[in-house]
Coordinates of all heavy atoms in Angstrom, one line a residue:
Y132 N 96.0 46.7 78.1 CA 96.3 48.1 78.3 C 95.2 49.1 78.0 O 95.0 50.1 78.5 CB 97.6 48.5 77.5 CG 98.8 47.8 77.9 CD1 99.4 46.9 77.1 CD2 99.3 48.0 79.2 CE1 100.6 46.3 77.5 CE2 100.5 47.3 79.6 CZ 101.1 46.5 78.7 OH 102.2 45.8 79.1
T133 N 94.4 48.7 77.0 CA 93.3 49.5 76.5 C 92.2 49.6 77.6 O 91.6 50.7 77.7 CB 92.7 49.1 75.2 OG1 92.3 47.7 75.3 CG2 93.7 49.2 74.1
L134 N 92.0 48.6 78.3 CA 91.0 48.6 79.4 C 91.4 49.6 80.5 O 90.6 50.4 81.0 CB 90.8 47.2 80.0 CG 89.7 47.0 81.1 CD1 88.4 47.4 80.5 CD2 89.7 45.6 81.6
V135 N 92.7 49.5 80.9 CA 93.2 50.4 81.9 C 93.2 51.9 81.4 O 92.7 52.8 82.1 CB 94.7 50.1 82.3 CG1 95.3 51.1 83.2 CG2 94.7 48.7 82.9
L136 N 93.5 52.1 80.2 CA 93.5 53.4 79.6 C 92.0 54.0 79.6 O 91.8 55.1 79.9 CB 94.1 53.5 78.2 CG 94.1 54.8 77.5 CD1 95.0 55.8 78.3 CD2 94.7 54.7 76.1
S137 N 91.1 53.1 79.2 CA 89.7 53.5 79.2 C 89.2 53.9 80.5 O 88.5 54.8 80.7 CB 88.8 52.4 78.6 OG 89.2 52.1 77.3
L138 N 89.6 53.1 81.5 CA 89.2 53.4 82.9 C 89.8 54.8 83.4 O 89.1 55.6 84.0 CB 89.7 52.3 83.9 CG 88.9 51.0 83.8 CD1 89.6 49.9 84.6 CD2 87.4 51.2 84.2
L139 N 91.0 55.0 83.0 CA 91.7 56.3 83.4 C 90.9 57.5 82.7 O 90.7 58.5 83.3 CB 93.1 56.3 83.0 CG 94.0 55.4 83.8 CD1 95.4 55.4 83.3 CD2 94.0 55.9 85.3
V140 N 90.6 57.3 81.4 CA 89.8 58.3 80.7 C 88.5 58.6 81.4 O 88.0 59.7 81.5 CB 89.6 57.9 79.2 CG1 88.6 58.8 78.5 CG2 91.0 58.0 78.5
C141 N 87.8 57.5 81.8 CA 86.5 57.7 82.5 C 86.7 58.4 83.8 O 85.9 59.3 84.1 CB 85.9 56.3 82.8 SG 85.2 55.5 81.3
V142 N 87.7 58.1 84.6 CA 88.0 58.9 85.8 C 88.2 60.3 85.5 O 87.7 61.2 86.2 CB 89.2 58.3 86.6 CG1 89.6 59.2 87.7 CG2 88.8 56.9 87.1
W143 N 89.0 60.6 84.5 CA 89.3 62.0 84.1 C 88.0 62.7 83.6 O 87.8 63.9 84.0 CB 90.3 62.1 83.0 CG 90.6 63.5 82.5 CD1 91.4 64.4 83.2 CD2 90.1 64.1 81.4 NE1 91.4 65.6 82.5 CE2 90.6 65.4 81.4 CE3 89.3 63.7 80.3 CZ2 90.3 66.3 80.3 CZ3 89.0 64.6 79.3 CH2 89.5 65.9 79.3
L144 N 87.2 62.0 82.9 CA 85.9 62.7 82.4 C 85.0 63.0 83.6 O 84.4 64.0 83.6 CB 85.2 61.7 81.4 CG 85.9 61.7 80.0 CD1 85.3 60.6 79.2 CD2 85.6 63.0 79.3
I145 N 84.9 62.0 84.5 CA 84.0 62.3 85.7 C 84.6 63.5 86.5 O 83.8 64.3 86.9 CB 83.9 61.0 86.5 CG1 83.1 60.0 85.8 CG2 83.3 61.3 87.9 CD1 83.2 58.6 86.4
Y146 N 85.9 63.6 86.6 CA 86.5 64.7 87.3 C 86.1 66.0 86.5 O 85.7 67.0 87.1 CB 88.0 64.6 87.3 CG 88.7 65.8 87.9 CD1 88.7 66.0 89.3 CD2 89.3 66.7 87.0 CE1 89.4 67.1 89.8 CE2 89.9 67.8 87.5 CZ 90.0 68.0 88.9 OH 90.6 69.2 89.4
Q147 N 86.3 66.0 85.2 CA 85.9 67.2 84.4 C 84.5 67.6 84.5 O 84.2 68.8 84.6 CB 86.3 67.0 82.9 CG 87.7 67.0 82.6 CD 88.4 68.3 82.8 OE1 89.2 68.5 83.8 NE2 88.0 69.3 82.0
I148 N 83.6 66.6 84.5 CA 82.2 66.9 84.6 C 81.8 67.5 85.9 O 81.0 68.5 86.0 CB 81.4 65.6 84.4 CG1 81.4 65.2 82.9 CG2 79.9 65.8 84.8 CD1 80.9 63.8 82.7
N149 N 82.5 67.1 87.0 CA 82.2 67.6 88.3 C 82.9 68.9 88.6 O 82.4 69.7 89.5 CB 82.6 66.6 89.4 CG 81.7 65.4 89.5 OD1 80.5 65.6 89.3 ND2 82.2 64.3 89.7
N150 N 84.0 69.3 88.0 CA 84.8 70.4 88.4 C 85.0 71.5 87.4 O 85.6 72.5 87.7 CB 86.2 69.9 88.8 CG 86.2 69.1 90.0 OD1 85.5 69.4 91.0 ND2 86.9 68.0 90.0
D151 N 84.5 71.3 86.1 CA 84.7 72.4 85.1 C 83.3 72.7 84.5 O 83.0 72.1 83.5 CB 85.7 71.9 84.1 CG 86.2 73.1 83.2 OD1 85.7 74.2 83.4 OD2 87.0 72.8 82.4
P152 N 82.6 73.7 85.0 CA 81.3 74.1 84.5 C 81.4 74.7 83.1 O 80.4 74.9 82.4 CB 80.7 75.0 85.5 CG 81.9 75.6 86.2 CD 83.0 74.5 86.2
E153 N 82.6 75.1 82.7 CA 82.8 75.8 81.4 C 82.7 74.8 80.2 O 82.4 75.1 79.1 CB 84.2 76.4 81.3 CG 84.4 77.5 82.4 CD 83.9 78.8 81.8 OE1 84.1 79.1 80.6 OE2 83.5 79.6 82.6
E154 N 83.0 73.5 80.5 CA 83.0 72.5 79.4 C 81.6 72.1 79.0 O 80.7 72.2 79.9 CB 83.7 71.2 79.9 CG 85.2 71.4 80.1 CD 86.0 71.7 78.8 OE1 85.6 71.2 77.7 OE2 86.9 72.5 78.9
P155 N 81.4 71.8 77.8 CA 80.0 71.4 77.4 C 79.7 70.0 77.9 O 80.3 69.0 77.5 CB 80.1 71.4 75.8 CG 81.5 71.2 75.5 CD 82.3 71.9 76.7
L156 N 78.8 69.9 78.8 CA 78.5 68.6 79.5 C 78.0 67.5 78.6 O 78.4 66.4 78.7 CB 77.5 68.8 80.6 CG 78.1 69.7 81.8 CD1 77.0 69.8 82.9 CD2 79.3 69.0 82.4
L157 N 77.3 67.9 77.6 CA 76.7 66.9 76.6 C 77.9 66.2 76.0 O 77.9 64.9 75.9 CB 75.9 67.6 75.6 CG 75.3 66.6 74.5 CD1 74.5 65.5 75.1 CD2 74.5 67.4 73.5
S158 N 78.9 66.9 75.5 CA 80.0 66.2 74.8 C 80.8 65.3 75.8 O 81.1 64.1 75.4 CB 81.0 67.2 74.2 OG 81.6 68.0 75.2
L159 N 81.0 65.7 77.0 CA 81.7 64.9 78.0 C 80.8 63.6 78.4 O 81.4 62.5 78.5 CB 82.0 65.7 79.3 CG 83.0 66.9 79.1 CD1 83.2 67.6 80.4 CD2 84.3 66.4 78.4
F160 N 79.5 63.8 78.5 CA 78.7 62.7 78.8 C 78.6 61.7 77.6 O 78.6 60.5 77.9 CB 77.2 63.1 79.1 CG 77.1 63.6 80.5 CD1 76.6 64.8 80.8 CD2 77.3 62.7 81.6 CE1 76.4 65.3 82.1 CE2 77.2 63.1 82.9 CZ 76.7 64.4 83.2
L161 N 78.6 62.2 76.4 CA 78.7 61.2 75.2 C 80.0 60.4 75.2 O 79.9 59.2 75.0 CB 78.5 62.0 73.9 CG 77.1 62.6 73.7 CD1 77.1 63.5 72.5 CD2 76.1 61.5 73.5
I162 N 81.1 61.1 75.4 CA 82.4 60.4 75.4 C 82.4 59.4 76.6 O 82.9 58.3 76.4 CB 83.5 61.4 75.5 CG1 83.5 62.3 74.3 CG2 84.9 60.7 75.7 CD1 84.4 63.6 74.4
L163 N 81.9 59.8 77.8 CA 81.9 58.9 78.9 C 81.0 57.7 78.6 O 81.4 56.6 78.9 CB 81.5 59.7 80.2 CG 81.4 58.9 81.4 CD1 82.7 58.3 81.9 CD2 80.8 59.7 82.6
A164 N 79.9 57.9 78.1 CA 79.0 56.8 77.8 C 79.6 55.8 76.8 O 79.5 54.6 76.9 CB 77.6 57.3 77.2
G165 N 80.3 56.4 75.8 CA 81.0 55.5 74.8 C 82.1 54.7 75.4 O 82.3 53.5 75.2
A166 N 82.9 55.4 76.3 CA 84.0 54.7 76.9 C 83.5 53.6 77.9 O 84.0 52.5 77.9 CB 84.8 55.7 77.7
L167 N 82.4 53.9 78.6 CA 81.8 52.9 79.5 C 81.3 51.7 78.7 O 81.4 50.6 79.1 CB 80.8 53.5 80.4 CG 81.3 54.5 81.5 CD1 80.1 55.1 82.2 CD2 82.2 53.7 82.5
G168 N 80.7 52.0 77.5 CA 80.2 51.0 76.7 C 81.3 50.1 76.2 O 81.2 48.8 76.2
N169 N 82.4 50.7 75.8 CA 83.6 49.9 75.3 C 84.2 49.0 76.5 O 84.5 47.9 76.3 CB 84.6 50.7 74.7 CG 84.3 51.1 73.3 OD1 83.6 50.4 72.6 ND2 84.9 52.2 72.8
I170 N 84.2 49.6 77.7 CA 84.7 48.9 78.8 C 83.9 47.7 79.1 O 84.4 46.6 79.4 CB 84.8 49.8 80.1 CG1 86.0 50.8 79.9 CG2 85.0 49.0 81.4 CD1 86.0 51.9 80.9
S171 N 82.5 47.9 79.1 CA 81.6 46.8 79.4 C 81.8 45.7 78.4 O 81.7 44.5 78.7 CB 80.2 47.3 79.5 OG 79.7 47.7 78.3
E172 N 81.9 46.1 77.1 CA 82.1 45.1 76.1 C 83.4 44.3 76.2 O 83.5 43.1 76.0 CB 82.0 45.7 74.7 CG 81.9 44.6 73.6 CD 81.4 45.2 72.3 OE1 81.0 46.3 72.2 OE2 81.5 44.4 71.3
R173 N 84.5 45.0 76.6 CA 85.8 44.4 76.8 C 85.7 43.4 78.0 O 86.2 42.3 77.9 CB 86.9 45.4 77.1 CG 87.3 46.2 75.9 CD 88.5 47.1 76.2 NE 88.6 48.1 75.2 CZ 89.1 47.9 74.0 NH1 89.5 46.7 73.7 NH2 89.2 48.9 73.2
L174 N 85.0 43.8 79.1 CA 84.9 42.9 80.2 C 84.1 41.7 79.9 O 84.4 40.6 80.2 CB 84.3 43.6 81.4 CG 85.2 44.7 82.1 CD1 84.4 45.5 83.1 CD2 86.4 44.1 82.6
Y175 N 83.0 41.9 79.1 CA 82.2 40.8 78.7 C 83.0 39.9 77.8 O 82.9 38.6 77.8 CB 80.9 41.3 77.9 CG 80.0 40.2 77.4 CD1 79.3 39.4 78.2 CD2 80.0 40.0 76.0 CE1 78.5 38.4 77.7 CE2 79.2 39.0 75.5 CZ 78.4 38.2 76.4 OH 77.6 37.2 75.9
G176 N 83.8 40.5 76.9 CA 84.6 39.7 76.0 C 85.6 38.8 76.8 O 85.9 37.7 76.4
L177 N 86.1 39.3 77.9 CA 87.0 38.5 78.7 C 86.3 37.3 79.3 O 86.8 36.2 79.4 CB 87.7 39.4 79.8 CG 88.7 40.4 79.4 CD1 89.1 41.3 80.5 CD2 89.9 39.7 78.8
I178 N 85.0 37.5 79.7 CA 84.2 36.5 80.3 C 83.9 35.4 79.2 O 84.0 34.2 79.5 CB 82.9 37.0 80.9 CG1 83.2 37.9 82.1 CG2 82.0 35.9 81.3 CD1 82.1 38.7 82.6
I179 N 83.6 35.8 78.0 CA 83.2 34.8 77.0 C 84.4 34.2 76.3 O 84.2 33.3 75.5 CB 82.1 35.3 76.1 CG1 82.6 36.4 75.2 CG2 80.8 35.7 76.8 CD1 81.8 36.8 74.0
G180 N 85.5 34.8 76.4 CA 86.8 34.2 75.8 C 87.2 34.8 74.5 O 88.0 34.2 73.8
N181 N 86.8 36.0 74.2 CA 87.3 36.6 72.9 C 88.4 37.6 73.2 O 88.7 38.5 72.4 CB 86.2 37.3 72.1 CG 85.8 38.6 72.6 OD1 86.1 39.0 73.7 ND2 85.0 39.3 71.8
Q182 N 89.1 37.4 74.3 CA 90.3 38.2 74.7 C 90.0 39.7 74.9 O 90.8 40.6 74.8 CB 91.4 38.1 73.7 CG 91.9 36.6 73.7 CD 92.3 36.2 72.3 OE1 92.1 36.9 71.4 NE2 92.8 35.0 72.2
G183 N 88.7 40.0 75.3 CA 88.4 41.4 75.6 C 88.3 42.3 74.4 O 88.4 43.6 74.5
K184 N 88.1 41.8 73.2 CA 88.0 42.7 72.0 C 86.6 43.3 71.9 O 85.6 42.7 72.2 CB 88.3 41.8 70.8 CG 89.7 41.3 70.7 CD 89.9 40.4 69.5 CE 91.3 39.8 69.5 NZ 91.4 38.9 68.4
V185 N 86.6 44.5 71.4 CA 85.4 45.2 71.1 C 85.0 44.9 69.7 O 85.8 45.1 68.8 CB 85.5 46.8 71.3 CG1 84.3 47.5 70.9 CG2 85.9 47.1 72.7
T186 N 83.8 44.4 69.5 CA 83.3 44.0 68.2 C 82.5 45.1 67.6 O 81.8 45.8 68.2 CB 82.5 42.7 68.3 OG1 81.4 42.9 69.1 CG2 83.4 41.5 68.8
D187 N 82.6 45.2 66.2 CA 81.7 46.1 65.5 C 80.5 45.3 65.1 O 80.6 44.2 64.6 CB 82.5 46.6 64.3 CG 83.6 47.5 64.7 OD1 83.5 48.2 65.7 OD2 84.7 47.5 64.0
F188 N 79.3 45.9 65.2 CA 78.1 45.1 64.9 C 77.1 45.7 64.0 O 76.1 45.1 63.8 CB 77.5 44.6 66.2 CG 77.1 45.8 67.2 CD1 75.9 46.4 67.0 CD2 77.9 46.1 68.1 CE1 75.5 47.4 67.9 CE2 77.6 47.2 69.0 CZ 76.4 47.8 68.9
F189 N 77.4 46.9 63.5 CA 76.6 47.5 62.5 C 77.3 47.4 61.1 O 78.4 47.9 61.0 CB 76.2 48.9 62.8 CG 75.2 49.0 63.9 CD1 75.5 49.6 65.1 CD2 73.9 48.6 63.7 CE1 74.6 49.7 66.1 CE2 72.9 48.7 64.7 CZ 73.3 49.3 65.9
V190 N 76.7 46.8 60.2 CA 77.2 46.7 58.8 C 76.2 47.4 57.9 O 75.1 46.9 57.7 CB 77.5 45.3 58.4 CG1 78.1 45.2 57.0 CG2 78.4 44.6 59.4
L191 N 76.6 48.5 57.3 CA 75.7 49.2 56.4 C 76.3 49.4 55.0 O 76.6 50.5 54.5 CB 75.4 50.6 57.0 CG 74.8 50.6 58.4 CD1 74.7 52.0 58.9 CD2 73.4 50.0 58.4
G192 N 76.5 48.3 54.4 CA 77.1 48.3 53.0 C 78.4 48.9 52.9 O 79.4 48.4 53.6
P193 N 78.6 49.9 52.1 CA 80.0 50.5 51.9 C 80.5 51.3 53.1 O 81.7 51.6 53.1 CB 79.8 51.4 50.6 CG 78.4 51.8 50.7 CD 77.6 50.6 51.2
I194 N 79.6 51.7 54.0 CA 80.1 52.4 55.2 C 80.9 51.5 56.1 O 80.5 50.3 56.3 CB 78.9 53.0 55.9 CG1 78.1 53.9 55.0 CG2 79.3 53.7 57.2 CD1 76.8 54.4 55.6
P195 N 82.0 51.9 56.6 CA 82.7 51.0 57.6 C 81.9 50.6 58.7 O 81.0 51.3 59.2 CB 83.9 51.9 58.1 CG 84.0 53.0 57.0 CD 82.6 53.2 56.4
N196 N 82.2 49.4 59.2 CA 81.4 48.8 60.3 C 81.7 49.7 61.6 O 82.7 50.2 61.7 CB 81.9 47.4 60.6 CG 81.7 46.5 59.4 OD1 81.0 46.8 58.5 ND2 82.4 45.3 59.5
F197 N 80.7 49.7 62.5 CA 80.8 50.5 63.7 C 80.0 50.0 64.8 O 79.1 49.1 64.6 CB 80.5 52.0 63.4 CG 79.1 52.3 63.0 CD1 78.2 52.7 64.0 CD2 78.6 52.1 61.7 CE1 76.8 52.9 63.7 CE2 77.3 52.3 61.4 CZ 76.4 52.7 62.4
N198 N 80.2 50.5 66.0 CA 79.3 50.2 67.1 C 78.8 51.5 67.8 O 79.3 52.5 67.5 CB 79.9 49.2 68.1 CG 81.1 49.8 68.8 OD1 81.2 51.0 69.0 ND2 82.1 48.9 69.2
I199 N 77.8 51.4 68.6 CA 77.2 52.5 69.3 C 78.2 53.3 70.1 O 78.3 54.5 70.1 CB 76.0 52.1 70.1 CG1 74.9 51.5 69.2 CG2 75.4 53.3 70.9 CD1 74.3 52.5 68.3
A200 N 79.0 52.5 70.9 CA 80.0 53.2 71.8 C 81.0 54.1 71.0 O 81.2 55.2 71.4 CB 80.7 52.1 72.6
D201 N 81.5 53.5 69.9 CA 82.4 54.3 69.1 C 81.7 55.5 68.5 O 82.3 56.6 68.4 CB 83.1 53.5 68.0 CG 84.0 52.4 68.6 OD1 84.4 52.5 69.8 OD2 84.2 51.4 67.9
S202 N 80.5 55.4 68.1 CA 79.7 56.5 67.6 C 79.5 57.6 68.6 O 79.6 58.8 68.3 CB 78.4 56.0 67.0 OG 78.5 55.0 66.0
L203 N 79.2 57.2 69.8 CA 79.0 58.2 70.9 C 80.3 59.0 71.2 O 80.3 60.2 71.3 CB 78.5 57.5 72.2 CG 77.1 57.0 72.2 CD1 76.8 56.2 73.5 CD2 76.1 58.1 72.0
I204 N 81.4 58.3 71.2 CA 82.7 58.9 71.4 C 83.0 59.9 70.3 O 83.4 61.1 70.5 CB 83.8 57.9 71.5 CG1 83.7 57.1 72.8 CG2 85.2 58.6 71.5 CD1 84.6 55.9 72.9
T205 N 82.8 59.5 69.0 CA 83.0 60.3 67.9 C 82.1 61.6 67.9 O 82.6 62.7 67.7 CB 82.8 59.5 66.6 OG1 83.7 58.4 66.6 CG2 83.1 60.4 65.4
I206 N 80.9 61.4 68.1 CA 79.9 62.5 68.2 C 80.3 63.5 69.3 O 80.3 64.7 69.2 CB 78.5 62.1 68.3 CG1 78.0 61.3 67.1 CG2 77.5 63.2 68.7 CD1 76.7 60.5 67.2
G207 N 80.7 62.9 70.5 CA 81.1 63.8 71.6 C 82.3 64.6 71.3 O 82.4 65.8 71.7
I208 N 83.3 64.0 70.6 CA 84.5 64.7 70.3 C 84.3 65.8 69.3 O 84.8 66.9 69.4 CB 85.6 63.7 69.8 CG1 86.1 62.9 71.0 CG2 86.8 64.4 69.1 CD1 87.0 61.7 70.6
F209 N 83.4 65.5 68.3 CA 83.1 66.5 67.3 C 82.4 67.7 67.9 O 82.6 68.8 67.6 CB 82.3 66.0 66.1 CG 83.1 65.3 65.1 CD1 83.1 64.0 64.8 CD2 84.0 66.1 64.3 CE1 83.8 63.4 63.8 CE2 84.8 65.5 63.3 CZ 84.7 64.2 63.1
Y210 N 81.4 67.4 68.8 CA 80.7 68.4 69.5 C 81.7 69.3 70.4 O 81.6 70.5 70.4 CB 79.6 67.8 70.4 CG 78.8 68.9 71.1 CD1 77.9 69.7 70.5 CD2 78.9 69.0 72.5 CE1 77.2 70.7 71.1 CE2 78.2 70.0 73.2 CZ 77.3 70.8 72.5 OH 76.6 71.8 73.2
L211 N 82.6 68.6 71.1 CA 83.6 69.3 71.9 C 84.5 70.2 71.0 O 84.7 71.4 71.4 CB 84.4 68.3 72.7 CG 85.4 68.9 73.7 CD1 84.7 69.7 74.8 CD2 86.3 67.8 74.3
L212 N 84.9 69.7 69.9 CA 85.7 70.5 69.0 C 84.9 71.7 68.4 O 85.4 72.9 68.4 CB 86.2 69.7 67.8 CG 87.3 68.7 68.2 CD1 87.6 67.8 67.0 CD2 88.6 69.4 68.6
F213 N 83.7 71.5 68.0 CA 82.8 72.6 67.6 C 82.6 73.6 68.6 O 82.7 74.8 68.4 CB 81.4 72.0 67.2 CG 80.4 73.0 66.8 CD1 80.5 73.6 65.6 CD2 79.4 73.4 67.7 CE1 79.6 74.6 65.2 CE2 78.5 74.3 67.3 CZ 78.6 75.0 66.1
Y214 N 82.4 73.2 69.9 CA 82.2 74.1 71.0 C 83.5 75.0 71.2 O 83.4 76.2 71.4 CB 81.9 73.3 72.2 CG 81.9 74.2 73.5 CD1 80.7 74.9 73.8 CD2 82.9 74.2 74.4 CE1 80.7 75.7 75.0 CE2 82.9 75.0 75.5 CZ 81.8 75.8 75.8 OH 81.8 76.5 76.9
E215 N 84.7 74.3 71.2 CA 85.9 75.0 71.4 C 86.2 76.0 70.3 O 86.7 77.1 70.6 CB 87.1 74.0 71.6 CG 87.0 73.2 72.8 CD 87.1 74.1 74.1 OE1 87.9 75.1 74.1 OE2 86.5 73.7 75.1
F216 N 86.0 75.6 69.0 CA 86.3 76.5 67.9 C 85.3 77.7 68.0 O 85.7 78.8 67.7 CB 86.1 75.8 66.6 CG 87.3 75.0 66.2 CD1 87.2 73.7 65.9 CD2 88.6 75.6 66.2 CE1 88.3 72.9 65.6 CE2 89.7 74.8 65.9 CZ 89.6 73.5 65.6
R217 N 84.1 77.5 68.3 CA 83.1 78.5 68.4 C 83.4 79.5 69.6 O 83.2 80.7 69.5 CB 81.7 77.9 68.5 CG 80.6 78.9 68.4 CD 79.3 78.2 68.4 NE 78.3 79.2 68.5 CZ 77.3 79.3 67.6 NH1 77.2 78.5 66.6 NH2 76.4 80.2 67.8
R218 N 83.9 78.9 70.7 CA 84.2 79.7 71.8 C 85.4 80.6 71.6 O 85.5 81.8 72.1 CB 84.5 78.8 73.0 CG 84.7 79.6 74.3 CD 84.7 78.6 75.5 NE 86.0 78.0 75.5 CZ 86.6 77.4 76.5 NH1 85.9 77.3 77.6 NH2 87.7 76.8 76.4
K219 N 86.3 80.2 70.8 CA 87.5 81.0 70.5 C 87.2 82.2 69.6 O 87.9 83.1 69.6 CB 88.6 80.1 69.8 CG 89.0 78.9 70.7 CD 90.0 79.3 71.7 CE 90.5 78.1 72.3 NZ 90.9 78.2 73.7
N220 N 86.2 82.1 68.8 CA 85.9 83.2 67.9 C 84.8 84.1 68.4 O 84.1 84.1 69.2 CB 85.4 82.6 66.5 CG 86.5 81.8 65.9 OD1 87.7 82.2 66.0 ND2 86.1 80.8 65.1

């Protein structure tokens, strides 16, 4: 289900990028890049037999493990929230 949901999110993001010039494109591109990264890792996981799981591959001591795709999504969402809060004021 997560692969299908990720694909739907990507389609929606591409629609937003093409049709809403008001949105901050950087945040949408970051979220899209992260989603595509997770999709590619899920598809690769299906090929190698780990049931399409996304693996975390950066371990930095006490900081929770993470991967680049999740980091891009998180940064994109924070940037989008910052933009929206700033635009409202």
Side-chain angles (χ1 to χ4, degrees):
Y132 296 114
T133 55
L134 184 60
V135 173
L136 182 60
S137 295
L138 287 169
L139 290 173
V140 168
C141 287
V142 169
W143 178 78
L144 285 167
I145 291 169
Y146 173 81
Q147 287 295 110
I148 289 168
N149 287 324
N150 293 316
D151 193 358
E153 299 272 327
E154 293 296 324
L156 292 180
L157 177 60
S158 66
L159 297 180
F160 278 122
L161 288 172
I162 297 167
L163 179 62
L167 290 173
N169 279 337
I170 288 170
S171 66
E172 190 166 352
R173 286 185 199 286
L174 291 174
Y175 177 72
L177 289 171
I178 292 169
I179 65 168
N181 78 348
Q182 296 142 354
K184 295 179 183 174
V185 174
T186 56
D187 295 324
F188 56 87
F189 285 114
V190 180
L191 301 174
I194 299 172
N196 302 344
F197 65 96
N198 64 29
I199 297 293
D201 293 340
S202 299
L203 290 175
I204 292 169
T205 303
I206 293 167
I208 289 172
F209 276 116
Y210 180 71
L211 185 62
L212 289 172
F213 174 77
Y214 173 82
E215 290 298 325
F216 282 125
R217 191 173 169 122
R218 186 172 74 160
K219 300 279 187 213
N220 294 328

